[in-house]
Amino acid sequence: EVDGKVIIAAVDCTGHGVPGALVSVVGANGLHRCVKEFNLSQPNKILDKLTDLVVETFESGEDSVKDGMDGAVCLIDVKKRTLEYAGANNPLWIIKKSTRELIEIKANKQPIGDFEYKVPFDNHVFELDEGDQIYIFSDGYVDQFGGPKEKKYMHKPFKKLLLTIQDLSMQEQKEH
């Protein structure tokens, strides 16, 4: 919480094993530094600075680490009911209570970390109505294998699931 606003993030390392764990530690520390040390709260500025910190950290080492992170960062002003969002490959989904529809806000198609065609992250601002639900998530949900054919779950079924459980409390949605 910063100045009466809430910052939330869902960030997932693109790598596995020891390099992935290392990137995760650097990312968690970098997020903390972005907010506490650099006093950033605007989501795109957080992702831009986090990218710089990740690149800077791994440039100084002898071994090159090419893993990065995908993520979504939101700043919620509860009093004004506004939401700011920026994403690195991970979208934001809003289910509007009034229309019962899911709105997808696409992320920048680039990771947090070293990327050849890096551009500043976009910042999106929205007004929320009471009862609107927001979802940020890693690709772990949509990329999980399962079902009778052992196939990936994918985005479309995940959206359909969220729309069918939107009337449940967040705790009940988690359990479902």
Side-chain angles (χ1 to χ4, degrees), residues 30-42:
L31 278 172
H32 185 5
R33 287 183 66 200
C34 287
V35 175
K36 299 294 183 185
E37 182 181 333
F38 298 106
N39 299 312
L40 300 173
S41 61
Q42 193 171 339

Side-chain angles (χ1 to χ4, degrees), residues 86-103:
N89 289 323
N90 288 352
L92 164 72
W93 291 352
I94 302 172
I95 296 182
K96 300 295 289 179
K97 183 174 184 170
S98 60
T99 60
R100 302 181 61 77
E101 70 176 312
L102 187 148
I103 299 166

